[in-house]
């Protein structure tokens, strides 16, 4: 008897799913991850030691409505395959965390009479979860404002759980362990214990506009001798960012601006940072809340229903973050806001206190227990 976790597409869907899978395993449950045929979820699930089953899934382009036909055919075929698989493994329940692949697996669960839980990470419900919400046994949300967008009949099945974060982030709740993590990564990067470290990242795919804006400002920012930067560029942007920095920075300064394409040690990266500059994906913000770091958020402007702006607004209203819209990245306001965070320690301390009040460290346990409850 197995519990099935399904998710795909981006780390924003996948990491919360993996966090819940870990909690289920700690409770003695067998977990199998159902993902797409060529997505990053296969690598991440296998790294986590989970069994993996791939299903074909394809989205559709709203600008080309005819792609809905081929997408629907693929999803229907995968739904039939998933039904047979769920029956074969004697699945007890399914939890869907978004991404197109969750649709056939979630549909198959409903048609096999299995309990289905969906979890929405963002402040706007994505297409996959919205589609499955009509028949879900339980609907878990990170933000309570999503309730208003649901049909009235669905609202009685809602549980506001917060957004699950990976279990390895729990180390940041222990001051001694967090400090050790902080010092280890700083030493590895060549930063000192007294450095003021800015972490820059745009989510698992990187963020070109943020990369370009920060590279342009690099000489100005590094005029502060105590400042160091850990810049996670995204795989596609890595070479261009490195080349641009080599042109911008002197040989004496280049070592203070460390670049990585991707970081598999995000708890350490958050732990090493004093300030975070990032997009406002739901998973990044949940991890940021656990890490309790002051942040400058730049929401992705093309997110569905502008949900990243809504995600970020919750931290801004709590006093834990500042926000700049993407179109302001080349304006004086971006530099002014960032340098205020860098230069004003009292501002950072006030934001840090606010950030500590927002932690969602127990969200994964909450969702895991909810899944077990509906299964039993």
């Amino acid at each position: 008897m197995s519990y099935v976790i399904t998710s795909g597409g981006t780390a924003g869907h996948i990491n919360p799913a993996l966090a819940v899978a870990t909690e289920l395993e700690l409770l003695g449950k067998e977990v199998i991850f159902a993902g797409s045929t060529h997505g990053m979820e296969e690598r991440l699930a296998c790294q986590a030691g989970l069994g993996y089953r791939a299903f074909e899934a394809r989205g559709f382009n709203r600008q080309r409505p005819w792609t809905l036909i081929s997408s629907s055919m693929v999803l229907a075929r995968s739904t039939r395959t998933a039904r047979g698989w769920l029956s074969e493994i004697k699945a007890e329940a399914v939890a869907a965390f978004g991404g197109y692949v969750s649709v056939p697996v979630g549909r198959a669960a409903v048609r096999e009479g299995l309990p289905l839980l969906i979890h929405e990470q963002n402040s706007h419900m994505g297409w996959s979860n919205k589609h499955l919400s009509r028949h879900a046994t339980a609907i878990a949300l990170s933000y309570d404002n999503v309730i208003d967008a649901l049909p009235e009949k669905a609202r009685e099945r809602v549980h506001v759980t917060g957004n699950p974060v990976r279990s390895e982030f729990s180390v940041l709740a222990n001051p001694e362990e967090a400090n050790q993590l902080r010092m280890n990564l700083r030493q590895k990067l060549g930063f000192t214990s007294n450095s003021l470290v800015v972490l820059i990242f745009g989510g698992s795919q990187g963020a070109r506009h943020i990369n370009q804006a920060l590279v342009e400002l690099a000489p100005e920012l590094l005029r502060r001798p105590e400042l160091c930067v850990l810049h996670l560029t995204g795989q596609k942007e890595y070479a261009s960012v490195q080349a641009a920095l080599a042109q911008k920075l002197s040989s004496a300064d280049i070592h203070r601006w460390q670049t990585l394409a991707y970081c598999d040690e995000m708890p350490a990266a958050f732990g090493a940072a004093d300030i975070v500059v990032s997009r406002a994906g739901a998973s990044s913000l949940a991890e940021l809340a656990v890490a309790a770091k002051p942040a400058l958020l730049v929401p992705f402007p093309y997110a569905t229903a502008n949900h990243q702006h809504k995600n970020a607004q919750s931290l801004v209203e709590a006093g834990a973050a500042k926000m700049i819209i993407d179109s302001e990245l080349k304006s004086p306001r971006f530099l002014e806001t960032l340098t205020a965070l860098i230069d004003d320690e009292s501002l950072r301390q006030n934001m840090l206190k606010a950030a500590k009040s927002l932690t969602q460290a127990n969200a994964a346990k909450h969702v895991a227990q909810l899944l077990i409850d509906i299964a039993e």
Side-chain angles (χ1 to χ4, degrees):
M1 301 288 278
S2 304
Y3 284 78
V4 171
I5 301 288
T6 181
S7 174
T10 68
H13 293 311
I14 300 161
N15 285 332
L18 291 174
V20 172
T22 297
E23 292 298 329
L24 287 167
E25 288 190 317
L26 289 172
L27 293 169
K29 306 300 182 182
E30 181 187 0
V31 182
I32 302 174
F33 201 105
S36 60
T37 47
H38 299 292
M40 70 166 72
E41 60 269 26
E42 181 170 8
R43 175 177 64 85
L44 294 173
C46 291
Q47 281 180 357
L50 297 174
Y52 190 83
R53 178 64 158 85
F55 294 94
E56 189 180 1
R58 188 182 304 167
F60 61 93
N61 188 331
R62 289 176 174 81
Q63 304 303 316
R64 297 186 294 169
W66 58 90
T67 61
L68 181 60
I69 298 172
S70 58
S71 171
S72 297
M73 291 174 65
V74 169
L75 293 177
R77 186 166 61 247
S78 291
T79 299
R80 291 192 295 272
T81 304
R83 287 190 68 176
W85 175 68
L86 290 174
S87 176
E88 178 187 328
I89 66 170
K90 297 181 171 58
E92 291 189 61
V94 173
F97 287 79
Y100 286 114
V101 72
S102 66
V103 172
V105 182
R107 280 179 178 173
V110 171
R111 292 173 187 177
E112 288 295 305
L114 296 172
L116 172 67
L117 178 148
I118 62 170
H119 181 278
E120 178 55 55
Q121 298 87 52
N122 288 294
S123 56
H124 173 83
M125 186 165 280
W127 178 82
S128 299
N129 277 338
K130 194 170 185 179
H131 176 81
L132 294 173
S133 66
R134 293 173 294 172
H135 302 292
T137 315
I139 302 168
L141 304 176
S142 296
Y143 297 93
D144 57 9
N145 67 301
V146 181
I147 297 172
D148 296 335
L150 291 169
E152 197 161 331
K153 287 184 178 180
R155 296 178 192 179
E156 60 193 37
R157 292 177 272 133
V158 164
H159 304 260
V160 180
T161 61
N163 195 10
V165 297
R166 292 168 284 176
S167 59
E168 53 262 41
F169 274 82
S170 62
V171 69
L172 297 178
N174 182 309
E176 186 175 325
E177 291 184 26
N179 187 58
Q180 188 62 53
L181 204 63
R182 171 188 178 90
M183 298 312 300
N184 287 348
L185 186 60
R186 284 181 172 227
Q187 185 177 29
K188 184 177 177 180
L189 294 169
F191 301 161
T192 70
S193 59
N194 296 322
S195 297
L196 182 70
V197 178
V198 178
L199 170 64
I200 302 165
F201 73 103
S204 59
Q205 306 299 317
R208 177 169 295 177
H209 287 179
I210 292 177
N211 289 343
Q212 292 173 338
L214 268 300
V215 167
E216 194 65 31
L217 297 176
E220 168 65 26
L221 295 175
L222 289 187
R223 288 171 57 189
R224 297 155 177 81
E226 77 285 0
L227 189 71
C228 292
V229 174
L230 173 56
H231 189 163
L232 310 182
T233 65
Q235 194 68 51
K236 292 180 181 178
E237 297 284 304
Y238 181 67
S240 62
V241 169
Q242 277 204 312
L245 286 170
Q247 294 292 320
K248 287 279 183 183
L249 299 177
S250 68
S251 56
D253 284 339
I254 194 75
H255 71 280
R256 293 198 287 132
W257 196 292
Q258 295 288 328
T259 56
L260 295 173
Y262 184 80
C263 182
D264 284 322
E265 302 176 84
M266 283 307 291
F270 274 114
D274 297 295
I275 299 165
V276 176
V277 180
S278 79
R279 289 298 194 197
S283 290
S284 295
L285 296 193
E287 292 167 356
L288 182 62
V290 173
K293 300 292 180 177
L296 175 54
L297 303 175
V298 188
F300 179 57
Y302 306 111
T304 306
N306 204 20
H307 70 253
Q308 285 208 6
H309 190 281
K310 296 172 186 174
N311 293 349
Q313 194 63 41
S314 62
L315 270 73
V316 173
E317 290 173 356
K322 302 291 184 182
M323 180 166 55
I324 290 285
I325 61 174
D326 192 83
S327 60
E328 294 178 313
L329 281 169
K330 293 185 179 179
S331 74
R333 184 167 178 262
F334 177 57
L335 178 60
E336 290 166 7
T337 307
L338 179 55
T339 53
L341 268 174
I342 292 169
D343 297 335
D344 190 340
E345 185 177 357
S346 62
L347 172 61
R348 293 199 306 274
Q349 289 300 318
N350 288 336
M351 292 173 71
L352 188 148
K353 289 176 185 175
K356 286 182 176 177
S357 70
L358 298 175
T359 184
Q360 299 176 327
N362 292 320
K365 291 181 180 178
H366 192 164
V367 177
Q369 189 57 57
L370 180 57
L371 183 62
I372 291 170
D373 289 346
I374 65 172
E376 293 178 349

